[in-house]
């Protein structure tokens, strides 16, 4: 109930330094960092623009997804400070190795396949399933 002061179920918070994934608009699919909080529904983010082209802008919190990564920066940090913290933390490499990024990459790859490539995948999957079933019958 309300009286129990247990641990919070939420692990990711809208906070300065939180790395976010933009999921709507021109910068969709790019990472950015929360630099400042405007109000309960909007935050100021920066790419850093020199790294991935996401300019400093105010964005609605509904258009971003919070990642598990945080960068240690102060509120309203300058681009130079943000760049230094971004490079030191190695967020881009951590993101590229995360299962979330790998799933997004796989989905993007699948979206670019043509009909024949999809057919080849289907045939390969059927062959794998057939060999699995034959192996299981032997057991």
């Amino acid at each position: 109930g309300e009286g129990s002061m247990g641990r919070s179920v939420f692990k990711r918070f809208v906070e300065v330094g939180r790395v976010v994934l933009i999921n709507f608009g021109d910068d969709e699919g790019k990472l950015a960092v929360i630099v400042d909080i405007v109000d309960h529904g909007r935050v100021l983010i920066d790419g850093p623009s020199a790294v991935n082209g996401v300019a400093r802008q105010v964005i609605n919190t509904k258009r971003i997804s919070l990642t598990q990564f945080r960068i240690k920066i102060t509120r309203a940090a300058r681009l130079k400070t943000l760049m230094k913290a971004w490079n030191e933390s190695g967020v881009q490499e951590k993101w590229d190795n995360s299962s979330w990024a790998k799933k997004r990459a796989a989905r993007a790859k699948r979206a670019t396949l043509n009909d024949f490539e999809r057919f080849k995948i289907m045939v390969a999957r059927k062959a794998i399933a057939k060999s699995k079933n034959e192996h299981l019958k032997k057991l």
Side-chain angles (χ1 to χ4, degrees):
E2 288 184 47
S4 64
M5 292 296 293
R7 292 179 45 80
S8 173
V9 292
F10 299 108
K11 302 281 185 278
R12 302 173 185 176
F13 302 102
V14 175
E15 58 191 331
V16 172
R18 175 67 62 186
V19 178
V20 297
L21 176 71
I22 301 169
N23 53 29
F24 189 86
D26 297 336
D27 296 319
E28 194 266 327
K30 294 182 181 175
L31 292 180
V33 181
I34 296 176
V35 181
D36 201 353
I37 297 166
V38 180
D39 58 32
H40 74 280
R42 295 178 305 160
V43 291
L44 180 68
I45 60 166
D46 198 337
S49 49
V51 174
N52 58 15
V54 178
R56 191 168 285 219
Q57 60 189 299
V58 173
I59 192 167
N60 193 312
T61 53
K62 290 184 174 88
R63 294 184 172 197
I64 57 175
S65 296
L66 304 174
T67 68
Q68 72 261 37
F69 308 114
R70 270 195 72 204
I71 293 178
K72 287 204 182 326
I73 56 167
T74 56
R75 189 168 160 255
R78 291 171 36 227
L79 180 62
K80 187 177 164 187
T81 314
L82 183 61
M83 287 278 300
K84 188 170 182 260
W86 177 273
N87 293 331
E88 282 176 4
S89 66
V91 168
Q92 193 64 52
E93 294 76 41
K94 288 178 191 169
W95 168 254
D96 293 337
N97 293 327
S98 72
S99 59
W100 189 357
K102 288 175 184 170
K103 283 177 196 163
R104 286 182 59 88
R107 193 176 302 134
K109 173 85 173 99
R110 260 186 249 119
T112 62
L113 296 179
N114 62 31
D115 187 49
F116 184 57
E117 290 167 329
R118 283 193 295 274
F119 171 76
K120 287 194 288 191
I121 290 170
M122 181 200 65
V123 169
R125 287 174 70 180
K126 284 171 103 174
I128 291 167
K130 186 178 179 186
S131 69
K132 271 187 190 172
N133 286 338
E134 286 173 354
H135 183 72
L136 287 173
K137 282 179 185 171
K138 290 176 186 172
L139 296 176

